[in-house]
RNA sequence: GUCCCUAUAGCUCAGGGGAUAGAGCGUCCGCCUCCGAAGCGGAAGGCCGCUGGUUCGAUUCCAGUUAGGGGCACCA
């Protein structure tokens, strides 16, 4: 008996009972409408539902009467041991030990697939995040979006969506030229130009540029800038890719802004095409010699210029072409994960979706991340007094860093405590969870050494011995995993996973303290091993969603 | 001025139209001859910023208000 099945059965029962009185109300009931949940208080049963409270009014019954009728039917469901009515009409449901234990078997069978659900099946999602300018190293803000975005992508994929992680490379525009001038100046031993890029890394890029093109000094200035820019760009982008890869963050698409400026089949650029497509939709107008998009039609506070009076595109033009490109490449849903400094973009991007004929409410989601601060971090002199991803990772480690950055919703500001993250105790949330996993692996190793047992042989054991309160609490926690993942994907909330894992690890530690696993009674031992192996599997799966390792020993 | 975010335990933060509002840290008291004590059990600690509204029921939704953070270009 897993919770999805039970909630579905309760929905069926509710439909049945209510159909007699109010067929229309009955038809509107599905498993999401019955408020099926794990009660906070264990005295309230294994599972609880307030469905009677919610429906009583519409059916014209007293909540407790409706509850009583439902309770009678629910108690007949196979595997349900009791149903109690509490308070104004809550139904508190308890399961047989063996019915509850089935969860352990299904987890061991499903392995790393356990938790996958189909709540987002059919969605094609373009998930854009980080998108740092290729003119310098990634900083602490990028680090947060990298951890969050990558985990979000995995959460969405686990719910059945087809997800592409995408990095938009801003490799066109004036800042690239400034970058080129800075690299060239460094290569030639000149001072950094005014408003140029500071930082030791620019000097490094200059040295690399000179190494590759010793003739740099003899080139025409404009050409030299171009050469320096391209070498710097290529080198810096590669460093960004390497940093992210070390951070266990994966991108499917590296989308170059230059492709938008380059020609399309018709001769004009993709940006020209984009403006014409928006014009065809009726949202573009000319005024004061410039070309505008009427973004105010979609909630923006002012209209936006897309082509300036001097004929040059604004940055918004590239945004428009880029947005359309996502749709053209088959993505119906576009998620943008942006830093707090971009929050003025939200209306603009939504307006873009609307102007393109998409649904601004459904087809585009803009998540604004708040700032990260950290105590005691060293500023990177080489990168011009920012806090670098590379330094953070070397300092704190991928696991601790990714886990703690994924622990909070994107829209809440967060402060990292480096002292805590370096502790190898349960003060440090990632170690608490990893320790639970390592502890289980240790038990399984002891079993394998002594009896030669392996986890695959636990698929057919009798699970009725799992009747202690701690074992049942653990099983219920395990059973919640798929629904938790599905909720996390619906809310774009990878932090749900970290909180779940904390609770699951706590349930396991309590269980471990209450019951010895490797006992003499073979049947009991097998049942407990199945439960414990299932727990390790879910810890492993959950950590994988966060891009964090699940070590077998620590 | 305007728009967005935030306000929950001493600290850092989850949660959410319903039953006694949660976790970690910190404080206090207990638990290893026994599979990893990197652990477990317990205690203390809250007008869920403030005022109204909707509701059978609001800490949760809405409005206002106060406080904090952030954003406003024919920049990129």
């Amino acid at each position: 008996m897993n919770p999805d099945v039970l909630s579905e059965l309760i929905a069926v029962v509710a439909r049945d009972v209510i159909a007699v009185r109010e067929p229309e109300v009955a038809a509107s009931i599905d498993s999401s409408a019955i408020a099926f949940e794990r009660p906070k208080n264990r005295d309230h049963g294994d599972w609880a539902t307030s469905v009677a409270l919610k429906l009583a009014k519409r059916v014209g019954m007293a909540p407790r009467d409706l509850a009583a009728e439902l309770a009678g039917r629910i108690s007949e469901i196979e595997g349900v041991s009791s149903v109690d009515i509490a308070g104004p009409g809550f139904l508190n449901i308890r399961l047989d030990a063996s019915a509850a234990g089935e969860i352990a078997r299904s987890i061991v069978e499903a392995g790393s697939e356990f938790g996958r659900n189909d709540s987002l099946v059919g969605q094609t999602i373009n998930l854009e995040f980080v998108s740092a300018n290729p003119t310098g190293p990634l900083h602490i803000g990028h680090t947060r979006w990298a951890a969050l975005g990558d985990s979000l992508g995995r959460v969405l994929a686990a719910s059945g969506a087809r997800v592409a992680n995408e990095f938009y490379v801003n490799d066109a525009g004036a800042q690239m030229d400034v970058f080129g001038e800075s690299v060239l100046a460094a290569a030639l031993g000149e001072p950094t130009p005014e408003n140029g890029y500071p930082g030791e890394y620019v000097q490094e890029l200059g040295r690399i540029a000179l190494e590759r093109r010793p003739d740099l000094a003899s080139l025409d200035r404009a050409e030299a800038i171009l050469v320096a820019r391209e070498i710097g760009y290529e080198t810096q982008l590669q460093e960004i890719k390497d940093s992210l890869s070390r951070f266990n963050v994966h991108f499917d698409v590296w989308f170059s802004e230059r492709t938008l400026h380059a020609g399309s089949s018709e001769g004009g650029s993709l940006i020209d095409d984009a403006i014409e497509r928006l014009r065809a939709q009726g949202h573009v107008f000319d005024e004061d010699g410039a070309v505008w998009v009427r973004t105010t039609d979609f909630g923006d506070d002012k209209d936006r210029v897309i082509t300036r009076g001097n004929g040059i595109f604004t940055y918004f033009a590239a945004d428009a072409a880029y947005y359309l490109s996502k749709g053209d490449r088959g993505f119906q849903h576009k998620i943008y994960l942006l830093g707090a400094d971009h929050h003025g973009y939200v209306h603009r991007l939504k307006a873009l979706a609307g102007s393109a004929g998409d649904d601004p409410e459904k087809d585009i989601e803009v998540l604004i991340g708040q700032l990260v601060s950290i105590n005691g971090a060293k500023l990177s002199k080489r990168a011009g007094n920012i806090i670098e991803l590379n330094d953070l990772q070397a300092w704190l480690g991928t696991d601790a860093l990714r886990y703690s950055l994924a622990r909070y919703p994107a829209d809440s500001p967060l402060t990292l405590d480096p002292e805590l993250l370096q502790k190898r105790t349960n003060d440090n949330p990632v170690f608490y969870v990893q320790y639970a996993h390592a502890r289980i692996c240790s038990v399984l190793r002891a079993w394998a050494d002594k009896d030669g047992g392996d986890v695959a042989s636990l698929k057919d054991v009798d699970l009725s011995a799992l009747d202690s309160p701690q074992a049942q609490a653990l099983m219920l926690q395990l059973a919640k995993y798929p629904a938790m993942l599905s909720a996390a994907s619906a809310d774009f909330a990878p932090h749900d996973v970290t909180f779940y894992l904390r609770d699951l690890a706590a349930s396991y530690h309590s269980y471990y303290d209450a019951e010895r696993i490797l006992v003499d009674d073979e049947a009991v031992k097998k049942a407990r091993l199945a439960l414990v192996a299932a727990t390790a599997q879910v810890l492993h799966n959950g950590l994988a969603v966060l891009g964090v390792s699940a070590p077998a020993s620590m």
Side-chain angles (χ1 to χ4, degrees), chain A residues 34 66 88 130 313 333 408 456 461 505-506:
Chain A
I34 64 165
L66 179 56
V130 183
F313 298 129
H333 298 276
Y408 305 106
V461 300

Side-chain angles (χ1 to χ4, degrees), chain A residues 189-243:
Chain A
E190 299 167 1
T192 305
E194 199 158 341
N195 299 322
Y197 284 83
E200 179 59 31
Y201 78 98
V202 178
Q203 303 302 315
E204 289 168 21
L205 292 174
R207 279 193 287 277
I208 290 167
L210 195 60
E211 237 173 73
R212 288 223 216 133
R213 290 293 296 267
D215 60 335
L216 214 45
S218 63
L219 294 175
D220 170 71
R221 187 76 184 181
E223 196 192 340
I225 290 173
L226 214 68
V227 168
R229 187 187 77 187
E230 289 312 296
I231 294 174
Y233 166 37
E234 190 186 312
T235 309
Q236 189 55 55
L237 184 62
Q238 190 57 48
E239 187 197 307
I240 288 173
K241 288 182 178 180
D242 292 344
S243 299

Side-chain angles (χ1 to χ4, degrees), chain A residues 220-464:
Chain A
D220 170 71
R221 187 76 184 181
E223 196 192 340
I225 290 173
L226 214 68
V227 168
R229 187 187 77 187
E230 289 312 296
I231 294 174
Y233 166 37
E234 190 186 312
T235 309
Q236 189 55 55
L237 184 62
Q238 190 57 48
E239 187 197 307
I240 288 173
K241 288 182 178 180
D242 292 344
S243 299
L244 289 169
S245 165
R246 279 195 301 274
F247 198 42
N248 210 6
V249 170
H250 161 77
F251 283 94
D252 300 290
V253 180
W254 297 82
F255 190 94
S256 161
E257 184 186 347
R258 288 179 183 178
T259 60
L260 300 174
H261 295 270
S264 72
S265 46
E266 279 84 47
S269 72
L270 290 173
I271 296 177
D272 290 316
D273 286 357
I275 294 172
E276 287 320 303
R277 284 163 71 181
L278 295 183
R279 199 188 284 279
Q281 292 274 348
H283 299 289
V284 172
F285 64 97
D286 299 282
E287 194 174 294
D288 299 337
V291 183
W292 300 69
V293 178
R294 201 179 304 282
T295 54
T296 49
D297 287 351
F298 302 95
D300 202 0
D301 54 347
K302 56 173 292 194
D303 293 325
R304 303 290 166 179
V305 169
I306 196 161
T307 309
R308 285 185 286 230
N310 59 12
I312 296 175
F313 298 129
T314 62
Y315 200 76
F316 186 53
D319 285 341
Y322 182 41
Y323 178 84
L324 289 172
S325 147
K326 289 178 180 178
D328 294 345
R329 285 181 281 135
F331 298 104
Q332 191 196 345
H333 298 276
K334 300 96 179 165
I335 302 178
Y336 290 75
L337 182 44
L338 303 176
D341 55 337
H342 283 69
H343 110 265
Y345 278 36
V346 176
H347 283 305
R348 232 170 295 179
L349 289 170
K350 292 236 169 197
L352 221 34
S355 305
D358 291 345
D359 181 345
E361 298 305 315
K362 283 202 213 136
D363 295 333
I364 181 168
E365 185 74 34
V366 184
L367 302 175
I368 296 297
Q370 292 293 315
L371 299 173
V372 186
S373 51
I374 181 164
N375 302 318
K378 280 195 213 113
L379 295 175
S380 163
K381 191 176 154 244
R382 81 173 271 270
N385 285 341
I386 62 166
I387 298 170
E388 265 195 81
L389 182 156
N390 291 334
D391 293 342
L392 286 170
Q393 191 196 13
W395 187 27
L396 303 171
T398 297
D399 284 351
L401 193 54
R402 283 204 58 161
Y403 192 92
S404 35
L405 290 171
R407 275 180 79 205
Y408 305 106
D411 57 9
S412 77
L414 88 88
T415 303
L416 293 179
D417 181 348
E419 269 183 46
L420 193 148
L421 294 181
Q422 291 175 101
K423 282 195 198 167
R424 321 204 110 231
T425 71
N426 71 335
D427 306 6
N428 187 341
V430 70
F431 279 101
Y432 183 80
V433 174
Q434 288 181 321
Y435 177 54
H437 185 266
R439 234 180 167 189
I440 294 170
C441 291
S442 171
V443 173
L444 295 175
R445 272 195 303 273
W447 176 48
D449 290 348
K450 214 166 115 206
D451 300 352
D454 81 290
V455 172
S457 72
L458 297 171
K459 286 177 185 167
D460 302 313
V461 300
D462 174 11
L463 300 157
S464 56

Side-chain angles (χ1 to χ4, degrees), chain A residues 24 40 65 77 79 82 132 147 166-167 193 195 209 224 247 299 341 358 389 472 495 504:
Chain A
E24 282 181 28
K40 290 166 193 158
D65 293 342
I77 294 172
S82 74
E166 183 153 321
F167 189 116
N195 299 322
F247 198 42
D341 55 337
D358 291 345
L389 182 156
Q472 299 213 349
H495 71 275
L504 177 60

